[in-house]
Amino acid sequence: GKYNFRGTIKNAEKTLYTNYKFKGKTKYTFVVKNTGDSILTVKAKRKAHTYTTATVKAGKTKTVSFSNIQAATEFYLTFDGSSFSGHIK
C-alpha cells in the first residue's frame, strides 16, 4: 500500500517523525516534496541505525529507494529543517 505524510516544521530545532512504523518489505521507495524555504533532511531509521538519508532543497521533490533492510525490521521516517509532504510505498 501507500502511506501519505505531511508536516510543518515551525522550529528549526524540532525533528518530526512519522507516527507509523513501516515493516514487511525488503525495498521501500518514498517521495518527498520540500514545501518550506530551507533544506529538508529525511532519514529512514530505527533507534540505532539509519538506512538512508536524503536532503531536499526548498521547493524540490526527491524520490528515494533503499533495500538494505529485512522485512521484519520496523523503521520510521524523520524530518528535519523544513515543511514537507509525500508518501512511501
Side-chain angles (χ1 to χ4, degrees):
K2 184 168 130 177
Y3 175 87
N4 293 304
F5 52 78
R6 68 175 51 243
T8 302
I9 295 180
K10 297 185 173 82
N11 178 345
E13 302 301 311
K14 190 168 174 66
T15 299
L16 294 184
Y17 296 77
T18 51
N19 55 9
Y20 183 79
K21 287 185 179 171
F22 307 100
K23 76 175 211 180
K25 293 165 64 176
T26 56
K27 181 177 181 185
Y28 293 88
T29 300
F30 61 88
V31 178
V32 62
K33 179 175 184 181
N34 183 338
T35 58
D37 51 14
S38 53
I39 290 176
L40 173 68
T41 302
V42 186
K43 294 180 182 179
K45 64 185 292 186
R46 58 187 170 94
K47 285 180 190 141
H49 188 80
T50 299
Y51 295 97
T52 190
T53 302
T55 55
V56 188
K57 293 180 180 170
K60 300 292 184 185
T61 300
K62 188 174 270 193
T63 300
V64 180
S65 294
F66 65 99
S67 57
N68 56 336
I69 191 167
Q70 295 179 1
T73 302
E74 291 187 329
F75 73 97
Y76 45 87
L77 298 177
T78 69
F79 304 88
D80 283 288
S82 190
S83 300
F84 59 89
S85 65
H87 66 268
I88 186 167
K89 56 186 189 223

